[in-house]
Structure formats: structure tokens, C-alpha cells
Amino acid sequence: MTSTSRRTLLRAGLVAGGAGFLAACDPSRPDPAIHHGSASPGGPAISDGFVAPDGAEVRAAEAARKPGRARSFRMTATAGPIDLGGRTVNTWSFDGRIPGPPIRVSAGEVVRATLTNRLPAETTLHWHGLALRNNADGVPHLTQPPVAPGAEFTYEFTAAHPGTYWFHPHAGVQLDRGLYAVMIVDDPRETLQYDDEWTVVLDDWLDGVAGTPDAMLAKLQDGPGHGEQGGEGDSEVLGGPGGDVVYPHYLLNGRLPANPETFRARPGSRLRLRLVNAGGDTAFRVALGGHQLTVTHTDGFPVKPVKTDAVVLGMGERYDVLVDLKDGVFPLVALAEGKKGAAFGLVRTGTGTAPKPKVRPAALNGRIVGYDELVPAEAVRLDDREPDQVIQMELTGGTTSYSWGFNGRPLTHDKLAEHLVPIQAGQRIQLDLINSAHMWHPVHLHGHTFAVGSSSGPRKDTVNVRVEDSVSIVFDADNPGLWVLHCHNIYHAESGMMAALGYRR
Ligand SMILES: [Cu+2]
């Protein structure tokens, strides 16, 4: 993500993309890539010719996952006060905790999760990164009706692939409140050797301190010029502004830097860190003072182990890293990329005075591993194959109008089913993400784990597209249904930067 050679590489990948139609970028012309269905009032649009989220093809794909033992979970989305460590805010959370109670299962097990909605708004749950059955994907008006206040909804799906995942609502800007939690899918044949494990969830925080996320969205959208709230600074890694929103706080596992979480371990032990960015508008640059990190997974999927000083996580991204711990007290710092401030935690293996939250370890300015340096583990590498279809998705919009979209078309959840981009089961698909905007975008595809750049690239479900850069992503259409492609900047997504791919029947 750091090097100019990657840009050249990816541009070459675009040119070499092969045949296939190109979506029109002129919004005034009908788009040949888009299917126009007819909306039915209140419910999802009728999408003739497309696989339904609960269709026979989806049921067959789920059966092929060989569903194992079922595990039941309950979570209640609720409004109320939460202590962030010295400061109590009124916010929305799962079961009064930030992050919410984690879910942990073994690969192949069936998750049966019942959500109770005690919020004053409709909500859903989306299981970020999982290739799951389409009608459990949690996209309102596309894969399910929204869950009304006071109502319950049960999600049931096989967790087929091991890894570090997370879940959050797919409704409005709710994920920029406290509504997020981690889901870990253990590998029954885990080969990684380590002594301890620490899951670290990073977040940018304003709710109950500087208004609400809904008020922020309204402010960003409120006419020309009002979108320019950010401007704290540029990020070399992201190629431009860090984001649109100025946050008063950054949290690590729901805690403010002044009162951090401390992970205790033995000196000489090996720690597996599972890093998750649950932020709304902030990328984080993460380093552990005095240590190198060995990246073993990104977005749940294994890579050939590679050493680095720091990693940068866009919103929605995850990295698993191994660390051989030294003797002492060490700061885990997650710098808000292109912004002011950081999330902060501590690793303690011995005696000594804890470093202060303002500390900035040298490793933050060391080597940052880029996508082009990540090589997928052999078991998850896509086979070499020419794409059957190349789809161009231009990332359009800007902070002035605060209208974002793909190919010049802003879409909201209730309009996705009317504008499906058709794909066919069995195809190798290449999506060219072309960023013409002066803003970076972490682009997330539901239901699939693509390869970044080309078939030999690392497997991921969320990819940062730098300012005025392009990235191709490649995947096999092997999970029938209707799947959202969207920016994981929640303010961009809610301002139109969403699209949906539909499997043709
Ligand atoms: Cu975006």
C-alpha cells in the first residue's frame, strides 16, 4: 500500500484484465451493467432472473458447507450509558458492552444468533468477511427486512472459514456508535504456534461527546462545503486526507487512552494479536513499542509470514500478527492516520513504569507492510485463470457535495435491489476499483474473499483504495445471492457509496 511500484503493478493488471463489458461512467446514460427491477412498496424489489436470498441455489450452497453442530448466541442492541474508562457516554451497544460480547466458534459450526432490537431505530446484523448464506448477510431491503424496534431476528449460518471477523449493524451510521463485536472462527487444524492471544478492536469515537453519528452525517450532507469537516492532515499511506470527521477520542477495546486495557503475559512468550478496525472514518497505523510484528493473516485469511514494524488498517480490515514479547511494559499505539490522536493499550510482561498515552514508538515510522508484499498461503491462493467478466467500478463523489457512489450513481439500501450488477455462478470476476476522488476508500465486498491485484494476491474482503489510485480485485463467483459492494467509511456508504452484485439464475 506504500509503494509506487504497486501502483504501476496494479495499473498493468487493469490493462491486462481481458474482455468483458465496461460499466458506463456517465450517470445520465443507462448503464448496461445494471439490472433495473421493479420495487415493491415496503419490501425488497422484485428481481426477476436473479437468485433470491433464500432461493434454492443459496440453500444448496449452504448444504455444501456441510453444516456442523449448532451454537446459539443472543445479543441485545440497547441504548444506555457506557463507561469508556473515566468518561461515561450515552450510546448504543450490544448488551451494554463495547466491544459487544464476542462470538467464538469452530470452522464448520452453525451460528444461530438471535438479535433483540431495543434501539429506537430499525437495525440488522452483518457478519463482516464471512462467506455465508445470503439471507443471513444482514443487508436491509436486500437480504432481509429491517428488524423493527422491539422485534427479534435470528441469523443462522455455517461459519465455513476460520479467521478473525466481526459483526455490526448494516443500518444507517449505527456502527459509528458502540454497536460492534468480534467473531472468531477457530481452525480445528490450527498450525500456528503461540502462547497467548489478544483481540484488539480499534474505534474512532464521537457519540455522546460531540453529538451523534446521525448529527454528523446530517452536517456532512448539509449543503456545499459542509462536507469539509476533516482536514486534520494528509496521510502519505492513504495518499491524501485521512478522513472527513474530526473525532474527539480513539478507543482500544472500548477504552480511552488515559485508562487503557493492559494485556499481561510472560516475557519470552509468543502473542497472537488479532487487530480489528471498527472505526467509522479512521484508518489506524498500529505498532507495539520495541517489537517487530509478523503478519500471519489479513481479513481472516492466511498469508506467508512477513515481518513488519507497523500495519495500517482501513475501516473493516483485520490483521493477525505474532509478537515475541520482551521483558517490560510496552505501548500498543494505533495512530489515527492523517488525524490527530491515537488509541492506546499496554502489554506488560515485567515490572516497570507504564509508558504514557502520548508515547509514539519509533516502529510507527518504520516499515509498513503493503498489499504487494503479502503472499497468500498456498491453501488459499486462487488458481490462475483469466477473468470471465471484468467490471469497472469507478469510485466517484467528493466532500463538497457529500454525495458518493460507484460509476456516478449514489444508492441507498432500499434502492440496491433495483440496480443489481449481474454476475453468474462459476465465473471468475475481476472488479476494477478506480478511484477518481481526492479521498481514499476502504472497499468491502460481502460474501466473498477476493484476491488483491491479481489471482496471486492476498485474500481479503476489504481493500484500501488510495487517493486517485486503482486496485483490481479478483474472485470466484461461488456464493449465490445478492451481495453488497460498498465503502466501509460509514459516512460515504450512507451517502451513496454502495452497489450490489446479483447472481443470475
Ligand atoms: Cu469511501
Side-chain angles (χ1 to χ4, degrees):
M1 205 163 67
T2 50
S3 65
T4 49
S5 64
R6 187 186 69 95
R7 179 183 293 232
T8 314
L9 183 89
L10 292 169
R11 290 247 183 258
L14 288 177
V15 175
F21 63 75
L22 304 178
C25 294
D26 177 356
S28 65
R29 288 210 325 261
D31 189 331
I34 305 293
H35 168 84
H36 296 268
S38 52
S40 60
I46 301 152
S47 308
D48 286 340
F50 287 91
V51 170
D54 59 352
E57 299 88 343
V58 173
R59 292 198 299 275
E62 178 68 355
R65 293 184 186 105
K66 303 195 189 333
R69 180 172 67 129
R71 306 272 310 274
S72 291
F73 301 90
R74 295 194 75 90
M75 58 277 290
T76 301
T78 182
I82 300 258
D83 180 8
L84 302 178
R87 171 155 203 170
T88 297
V89 294
N90 268 306
T91 187
W92 299 358
S93 69
F94 293 121
D95 299 288
R97 286 170 57 182
I98 299 177
I103 284 185
R104 189 154 200 160
V105 297
S106 251
E109 289 185 328
V110 171
V111 174
R112 195 176 284 152
T114 301
L115 165 72
T116 303
N117 182 8
R118 298 259 179 262
L119 303 174
E122 293 178 339
T123 192
T124 63
L125 281 190
H126 168 62
W127 310 87
H128 184 118
L130 285 147
L132 43 45
R133 62 183 302 158
N134 191 220
N135 60 345
D137 196 44
V139 179
H141 307 290
L142 187 72
T143 67
Q144 67 165 96
V147 184
E152 281 191 0
F153 190 93
T154 297
Y155 294 85
E156 186 167 330
F157 58 91
T158 306
H161 299 110
T164 305
Y165 303 95
W166 63 300
F167 55 95
H168 59 76
H170 222 278
V173 289
Q174 291 178 15
L175 86 74
D176 211 21
R177 299 185 189 245
L179 290 164
Y180 55 82
V182 166
M183 174 164 171
I184 293 171
V185 182
D186 282 312
D187 188 345
R189 293 178 296 276
E190 179 65 69
T191 54
L192 224 53
Q193 302 277 327
Y194 50 92
D195 302 297
D196 298 296
E197 191 179 305
W198 188 23
T199 301
V200 167
V201 187
L202 305 168
D203 192 17
D204 43 16
W205 193 269
L206 62 83
D207 195 29
V209 178
T212 66
D214 289 293
M216 179 54 71
L217 179 65
K219 198 165 153 188
L220 289 166
Q221 292 177 338
D222 183 22
H226 289 86
E228 290 151 32
Q229 299 291 328
E232 279 182 281
D234 276 9
S235 156
E236 205 177 305
V237 177
L238 305 172
D244 301 333
V245 178
V246 176
Y247 286 88
H249 298 302
Y250 298 98
L251 307 182
L252 187 153
N253 288 345
R255 299 189 73 78
L256 293 163
N259 205 342
E261 184 167 302
T262 301
F263 187 84
R264 287 171 212 282
R266 285 178 296 104
S269 63
R270 178 167 287 184
L271 174 65
R272 180 181 190 167
L273 266 173
R274 296 179 188 260
L275 302 168
V276 180
N277 183 354
D281 175 76
T282 305
F284 289 99
R285 181 191 300 216
V286 185
L288 179 63
H291 291 78
Q292 274 210 314
L293 314 173
T294 301
V295 177
T296 62
H297 296 72
T298 178
D299 294 359
F301 274 55
V303 294
K304 293 189 174 154
V306 55
K307 281 200 184 331
T308 187
D309 295 312
V311 288
V312 170
L313 291 89
M315 295 79 85
E317 284 194 296
R318 290 89 66 215
Y319 279 97
D320 289 24
V321 302
L322 293 178
V323 195
D324 291 319
L325 294 174
K326 297 176 180 171
D327 192 345
V329 197
F330 306 99
L332 185 72
V333 179
L335 213 56
E337 194 61 40
K339 299 187 176 187
K340 296 184 179 74
F344 181 72
L346 292 168
V347 174
R348 178 179 283 278
T349 62
T351 53
T353 310
K356 296 275 177 285
K358 293 267 183 227
V359 70
R360 295 293 178 261
L364 286 168
N365 296 316
R367 189 170 109 83
I368 300 170
V369 70
Y371 295 148
D372 53 346
E373 295 159 294
L374 296 176
V375 177
E378 212 47 51
V380 301
R381 185 193 188 279
L382 288 187
D383 57 344
D384 289 321
R385 182 177 158 188
E386 284 300 304
D388 300 296
Q389 194 179 171
V390 179
I391 301 171
Q392 287 203 349
M393 285 290 190
E394 195 185 353
L395 284 48
T396 50
T399 48
T400 308
S401 64
Y402 220 79
S403 171
W404 302 93
F406 289 103
N407 295 335
R409 182 196 305 276
L411 286 177
T412 46
H413 281 116
D414 56 325
K415 298 284 182 242
L416 289 171
E418 297 169 45
H419 300 281
L420 296 172
V421 179
I423 61 173
Q424 192 83 45
Q427 282 184 329
R428 170 66 58 88
I429 308 281
Q430 177 176 318
L431 284 181
D432 293 341
L433 306 170
I434 302 157
N435 188 7
S436 58
H438 191 63
M439 176 57 68
W440 72 285
H441 301 285
V443 177
H444 173 47
L445 175 63
H446 287 204
H448 303 75
T449 299
F450 49 74
V452 177
S454 70
S455 54
S456 61
R459 300 286 300 279
K460 288 180 64 60
D461 53 63
T462 308
V463 63
N464 301 328
V465 188
R466 303 170 79 236
V467 169
E468 287 159 11
D469 198 0
S470 299
V471 176
S472 294
I473 62 176
V474 174
F475 65 96
D476 286 325
D478 57 4
N479 193 13
L482 312 176
W483 299 105
V484 178
L485 176 80
H486 68 93
C487 180
H488 224 282
N489 181 314
I490 193 59
Y491 297 95
H492 295 184
E494 275 304 297
S495 303
M497 204 159 198
M498 282 193 251
L501 310 183
Y503 280 62
R504 282 209 179 280
R505 294 178 66 186

